[in-house]
């Protein structure tokens, strides 16, 4: 997973919005980016802590963190149609990752290789969506 949306996106958004007309876009970009960054940080902390606990508890912690990112992103008040779209896509991706992580944890606990492989494929597919989504958010937020 990506570690940070980027500080450059925040700075660029602030500079772009300094004229006043883009103030909604700036504050909405900042709010959405903050939620995503906090979620990534939470996952990173959970992953580091979970390495001592074992695989399935780490996966369950990641699933809970992804569900929280999706819920927090849903709470961000967005009026910009593009950001609403990106937020919805990010929420869907986060929920997909959470579901796949839980499925993988369940399969691992049951020692079910077939279900583990299917869940692993699902989680990889979902995670691959994150970078393009974050890139789209960054591009939109950095544009004047």
């Amino acid at each position: 997973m990506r570690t940070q949306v980027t500080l450059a996106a925040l700075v660029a958004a602030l500079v772009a919005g300094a004229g006043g007309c883009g103030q909604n876009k700036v504050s909405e970009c900042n709010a959405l980016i903050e939620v995503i960054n906090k979620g990534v940080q939470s996952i990173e902390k959970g992953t580091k802590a979970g390495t001592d606990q074992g695989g399935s508890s780490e996966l369950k912690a990641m699933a809970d963190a992804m569900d929280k990112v999706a819920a927090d992103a849903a709470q961000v008040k967005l009026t910009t149609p593009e950001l609403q779209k990106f937020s919805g896509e990010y929420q869907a991706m986060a929920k997909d990752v959470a579901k796949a992580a839980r499925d993988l944890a369940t399969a691992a606990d049951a020692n079910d290789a077939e279900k583990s492989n299917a869940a692993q494929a699902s989680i990889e597919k979902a995670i691959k969506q994150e970078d393009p989504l974050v890139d789209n958010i960054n591009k939109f937020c950095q544009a004047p």
Side-chain angles (χ1 to χ4, degrees):
M1 293 211 149
R2 196 158 200 158
T3 41
Q4 295 293 318
V5 170
T6 70
L7 184 57
L10 290 171
V11 173
L14 288 171
V15 171
C21 68
Q23 207 56 36
N24 257 1
K25 177 182 170 182
V26 172
S27 60
E28 290 178 7
C29 279
N30 290 342
L32 183 58
I33 289 168
E34 182 180 348
V35 165
I36 292 170
N37 283 342
K38 282 182 180 178
V40 170
Q41 290 168 356
S42 171
I43 291 165
E44 287 175 347
K45 286 178 189 171
T47 300
K48 289 175 188 164
T51 53
D52 296 334
Q53 301 168 1
S56 68
S57 34
E58 182 178 340
L59 287 165
K60 290 172 188 171
M62 182 175 80
D64 291 344
M66 291 304 289
D67 279 337
K68 182 168 178 11
V69 171
D72 290 350
Q75 296 301 312
V76 177
K77 302 292 184 232
L78 301 173
T79 60
T80 309
E82 294 89 346
L83 279 178
Q84 289 172 338
K85 176 182 174 281
F86 295 143
S87 178
E89 291 171 351
Y90 198 90
Q91 291 169 50
M93 180 275 308
K95 290 175 186 175
D96 288 347
V97 170
K99 181 187 180 320
R102 282 191 183 91
D103 290 347
L104 185 55
T106 300
D109 287 345
N111 289 321
D112 187 328
E114 187 176 322
K115 287 184 180 175
S116 287
N117 290 338
Q120 182 68 37
S122 293
I123 201 168
E124 288 172 8
K125 179 182 175 190
I127 288 172
K128 284 181 185 176
Q129 298 173 43
E130 187 190 27
D131 283 346
L133 285 170
V134 170
D135 289 344
N136 286 337
I137 293 168
N138 281 337
K139 285 176 193 167
F140 177 76
C141 289
Q142 291 172 357

